[in-house]
Amino acid sequence: TGESSNAKIHPNPTKGQLHLSTEIQGGVSVQVFDILGRSVMGTKLGADDIRKLDISHLNQGQYFVTLQFDDGTFESHKIFKRD
């Protein structure tokens, strides 16, 4: 929920490349939603993956990134995409 955040997404705002930093081990499912709640992107990052997310193809604006970790916890982050 972002209040007890286990992850950091940076830089924010971004022009396209986001980095995910987390202390939680294991994989993470990533969903990106636009401000209307529509899913515009989703991916699964394994424990050994470099935790980068390329949103350069998305239009400029505000998005919500929802992270669901393998341990069942989840949280959401507001991000801004700039051109």
Side-chain angles (χ1 to χ4, degrees), residues 6 17 39 49 51 57 65:
N6 293 310
Q17 195 74 245
S39 178
D49 289 341
R51 299 207 169 168
H57 64 285
V65 177

Side-chain angles (χ1 to χ4, degrees), residues 11-18 32 53-64 78-83:
N12 189 12
T14 184
K15 289 190 174 188
Q17 195 74 245
L18 290 170
V32 181
L53 193 61
D54 183 3
I55 63 164
S56 60
H57 64 285
L58 297 178
N59 292 328
Q60 177 173 299
Q62 178 178 312
Y63 294 89
F64 297 93
K78 186 185 326 181
I79 60 163
F80 295 93
K81 163 70 169 50
R82 298 224 169 122
D83 288 335

Side-chain angles (χ1 to χ4, degrees), residues 38-79:
R38 296 178 297 208
S39 178
V40 294
M41 182 178 174
T43 190
K44 172 79 173 171
L45 300 174
D48 297 326
D49 289 341
I50 297 173
R51 299 207 169 168
K52 289 184 180 178
L53 193 61
D54 183 3
I55 63 164
S56 60
H57 64 285
L58 297 178
N59 292 328
Q60 177 173 299
Q62 178 178 312
Y63 294 89
F64 297 93
V65 177
T66 300
L67 309 172
Q68 182 168 0
F69 299 95
D70 283 350
D71 69 359
T73 61
F74 67 93
E75 57 190 64
S76 186
H77 296 262
K78 186 185 326 181
I79 60 163

